[in-house]
């Protein structure tokens, strides 16, 4: 038998935690001295302690942990609980990874302040193009708002094009506008160049994107959730060269290999002279 202090050391937990588990019924001492009230634990109880700690680390409530270790939860129900928790943890990891990408992008922008490139921006006319597109609404123009909306849109767009027997003939073109409902929401257009007839159906729209007389363009290399430094380099160039932007940029996907780090995208911001 171990004193509560010894058992805490062997279990790599605190005495305070063991007292809490005793109070909640999760892990009762094997013996309590009736005269002194001292708690004593057996080595066999380490297995229950390990299960309790593991389940708590997975995010289960104390009641759920108690039901599981007391075998009040069936095998299939436990599997379902664990699968659900795994999905929640995976979503959390993905969200944290996305935030890290944004922090890194903002950091690169800060570090490059005063050293913005000026020789990578080209002013040009962009021709009209025929595209097939799907649209949806994003909460804002932050890459964290756009990414979760535009990726499924493109997946669904290519699925519908395949079902319609339409083969893309050029790169993808993403473009944006303020959503009718306002509040900073953005209408996201996920488009790809085609040569099919014009079409205005609910399942798929085919239209001609008009030309832009004057666009300030820059090439971004890497995933679009890290586009902030490139977009801000373009903004600095526009402001420093006698122009102002007159709309959201178009994003032309020049190269989209499986490795997102190797993506090549041209940003095309319509501009006017000031």
């Amino acid at each position: 038998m171990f004193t509560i202090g010894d058992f805490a050391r062997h279990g790599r937990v605190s005495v305070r935690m063991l007292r809490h588990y005793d109070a909640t019924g999760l892990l009762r001492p094997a013996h309590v001295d009736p005269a002194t009230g001292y708690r004593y634990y057996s080595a066999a109880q380490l297995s229950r302690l390990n299960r309790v700690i593991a389940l708590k680390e997975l995010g289960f409530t104390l009641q759920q942990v108690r039901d599981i270790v007391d075998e009040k939860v069936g095998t299939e129900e436990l599997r379902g609980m664990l699968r659900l928790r795994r999905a929640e943890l995976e979503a959390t990891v993905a969200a944290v990874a996305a935030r890290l990408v944004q922090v890194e992008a903002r950091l690169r922008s800060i570090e490059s302040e005063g050293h913005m490139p000026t020789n990578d921006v080209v002013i040009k006319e962009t021709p009209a193009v025929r595209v097939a597109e799907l649209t949806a609404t994003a909460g804002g123009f932050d890459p964290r708002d756009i990414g979760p909306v535009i990726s499924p849109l493109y997946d669904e767009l290519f699925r519908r094009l395949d079902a319609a027997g339409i083969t893309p003939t050029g790169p993808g073109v993403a473009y944006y506008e303020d959503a009718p409902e306002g509040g900073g929401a953005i209408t996201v257009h996920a488009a790809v160049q085609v040569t099919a007839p014009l079409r205005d159906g609910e399942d798929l729209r085919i239209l001609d994107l008009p030309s832009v007389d004057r666009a300030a363009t820059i090439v971004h290399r890497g995933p679009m959730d890290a586009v902030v430094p490139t977009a801000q380099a373009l903004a600095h160039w526009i402001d420093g060269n006698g122009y102002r932007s007159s709309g959201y940029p178009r994003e032309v996907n020049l190269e989209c290999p499986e490795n997102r780090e190797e993506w090549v995208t041209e940003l095309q911001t319509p501009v006017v002279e000031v």
Side-chain angles (χ1 to χ4, degrees):
M1 300 287 283
F2 300 105
T3 65
I4 190 171
D6 287 338
F7 189 73
R9 284 190 290 273
H10 287 298
R12 299 296 195 273
V13 295
S14 68
V15 169
R16 181 180 178 182
M17 181 178 290
L18 289 177
R19 287 175 177 154
H20 179 62
Y21 288 165
D22 180 13
T24 57
L26 266 177
L27 182 60
R28 300 286 192 188
H31 174 71
V32 178
D33 188 303
T36 63
Y38 290 167
R39 299 172 175 89
Y40 294 91
Y41 296 81
S42 69
Q45 290 181 285
L46 287 170
S47 63
R48 182 179 176 94
L49 175 63
N50 291 336
R51 285 165 172 75
V52 169
I53 297 298
L55 291 167
K56 282 292 296 174
E57 289 294 326
L58 284 171
F60 290 108
T61 66
L62 288 179
Q63 183 59 53
Q64 289 173 322
V65 171
R66 185 182 300 111
D67 290 343
I68 292 170
V69 296
D70 288 342
E71 298 183 347
K72 294 180 181 179
V73 174
T75 302
E76 285 304 315
E77 185 178 355
L78 178 57
R79 285 187 185 133
M81 293 169 69
L82 290 172
R83 289 192 186 104
L84 176 61
R85 186 55 186 157
R86 180 178 64 186
E88 291 173 345
L89 290 172
E90 288 173 346
T92 299
V93 169
V96 170
R99 284 198 295 271
L100 285 173
V101 169
Q102 293 306 309
V103 169
E104 178 64 25
R106 296 290 177 177
L107 180 59
R108 287 200 302 271
S109 292
I110 292 170
E111 290 175 341
S112 61
E113 287 175 1
H115 305 282
M116 294 297 179
T118 59
N119 58 345
D120 294 334
V121 177
V122 176
I123 293 288
K124 65 183 180 182
E125 178 183 357
T126 63
V129 292
R130 178 160 296 184
V131 298
E133 72 169 27
L134 293 177
T135 63
T137 302
F141 201 51
D142 189 309
R144 289 173 293 183
D145 296 320
I146 299 297
V149 173
I150 199 166
S151 294
L153 270 183
Y154 268 115
D155 290 341
E156 181 62 16
L157 174 62
F158 287 121
R159 188 192 69 78
R160 294 189 187 186
L161 287 173
D162 185 62
I166 300 173
T167 301
T169 56
V173 181
Y175 65 103
Y176 310 91
E177 58 188 342
D178 293 328
E181 57 265 37
I186 299 293
T187 299
V188 179
H189 298 257
V192 65
Q193 292 185 27
V194 296
T195 57
L198 296 175
R199 175 175 173 176
D200 196 15
E202 293 184 1
D203 63 327
L204 187 67
R205 187 181 181 205
I206 299 177
L207 69 155
D208 289 328
L209 277 183
S211 62
V212 176
D213 292 338
R214 184 176 293 164
T217 67
I218 191 171
V219 173
H220 170 68
R221 301 181 185 276
M224 290 305 293
D225 51 7
V227 74
V228 170
T230 307
Q232 292 190 357
L234 182 58
H236 277 271
W237 188 96
I238 291 170
D239 187 57
N241 286 270
Y243 296 96
R244 65 173 175 83
S245 59
S246 58
Y248 289 99
R250 291 181 186 176
E251 300 165 355
V252 180
N253 310 125
L254 303 179
E255 298 179 24
C256 290
E258 186 173 345
N259 183 357
R260 290 160 52 91
E261 297 296 327
E262 298 176 358
W263 282 11
V264 180
T265 307
E266 185 177 67
L267 307 184
Q268 302 175 344
T269 298
V271 294
V272 295
E273 293 187 53
V274 293

